Amino acid sequence: MAIIVRLDVMLALRKVRSRELAQFVGITESNLSLLKSGHVRGVRFETLSRICEFLQCQPGDLLAYVPDDGTTHDGDGE
């Protein structure tokens, strides 16, 4: 996948524990762990918003785009 979750980096920078963030956001620590590891298919905007609120960051601080090897884009939408 080309989207990398950098939530663990932001938690370390803010010196915040996963448990504190999970409680604030209203999700389980297990689900937060899955999100941190990138083992989710999506994240609700409401959840992303609460994470950003707690960590005082932007969504771009949490997510990064890294092209897959061999990925091409020919501009025709396919």
Side-chain angles (χ1 to χ4, degrees):
M1 178 179 277
I3 301 297
I4 305 300
V5 180
R6 302 187 64 221
L7 180 55
D8 56 343
V9 173
M10 287 304 299
L11 286 168
L13 288 172
R14 299 294 193 258
K15 298 178 181 169
V16 173
R17 294 182 185 253
S18 295
R19 176 177 290 174
E20 297 171 69
L21 178 60
Q23 288 175 343
F24 181 84
V25 173
I27 61 176
T28 65
E29 288 182 66
S30 296
N31 283 338
L32 185 61
S33 179
L34 289 171
L35 178 58
K36 284 185 352 185
S37 65
H39 290 110
V40 295
R41 296 184 119 185
V43 60
R44 293 177 184 218
F45 283 149
E46 180 180 348
T47 301
L48 185 59
S49 177
R50 296 283 290 171
I51 291 170
C52 289
E53 178 184 352
F54 188 81
L55 296 176
Q56 292 296 293
C57 67
Q58 296 295 314
D61 297 327
L62 302 171
L63 305 171
Y65 172 73
V66 179
D68 292 332
D69 291 338
T71 302
T72 60
H73 185 290
D74 57 14
D76 68 1
E78 293 183 45

